[in-house]
Amino acid sequence: SYAPYAGVETVLDIAHQLGRAVQYRGGAEFAVGELVSLRAGIRTEPNTFTAGIGLRHAGLGIDYGFSSGGVLGETHQFGLRYRFARAREESSP
């Protein structure tokens, strides 16, 4: 992965399984402010295009993804997460 700017992350992956074609996968995530992230990606063998959006606020995160092409055709994916705050460890004198 490579993060050329703050709030932008790109990923490139090459995978090969015995008896199958080489798969090239790439994607990017763009932070739009502190609350919203936009995502996009592509894959070969089978050819697939994906796009998504992530929203987060106060430890709560909601994600939506759309995939077009491939074995399953058009699919929608949803995710929900919550990050619990860690208690601060007080240092002993």
Side-chain angles (χ1 to χ4, degrees):
S1 82
Y2 175 61
Y5 309 103
V8 176
E9 187 171 346
T10 58
V11 179
L12 177 63
D13 183 44
I14 301 171
H16 183 255
Q17 294 179 347
L18 229 81
R20 296 188 178 215
V22 175
Q23 214 179 55
Y24 299 94
R25 301 178 280 204
E29 179 178 79
F30 306 93
V32 182
E34 293 183 20
L35 304 176
V36 179
S37 294
L38 300 176
R39 302 174 184 115
I42 57 171
R43 178 181 70 186
T44 62
E45 304 298 332
N47 295 336
T48 305
F49 169 76
T50 59
I53 186 168
L55 307 170
R56 46 175 200 262
H57 178 67
L60 180 65
I62 300 171
D63 293 298
Y64 167 75
F66 173 78
S67 178
S68 175
V71 177
L72 297 177
E74 295 180 352
T75 59
H76 302 271
Q77 300 171 4
F78 297 91
L80 180 63
R81 66 177 179 245
Y82 183 76
R83 173 175 272 175
F84 294 94
R86 292 185 180 184
R88 288 188 182 185
E89 294 181 23
E90 294 184 27
S91 59
S92 302

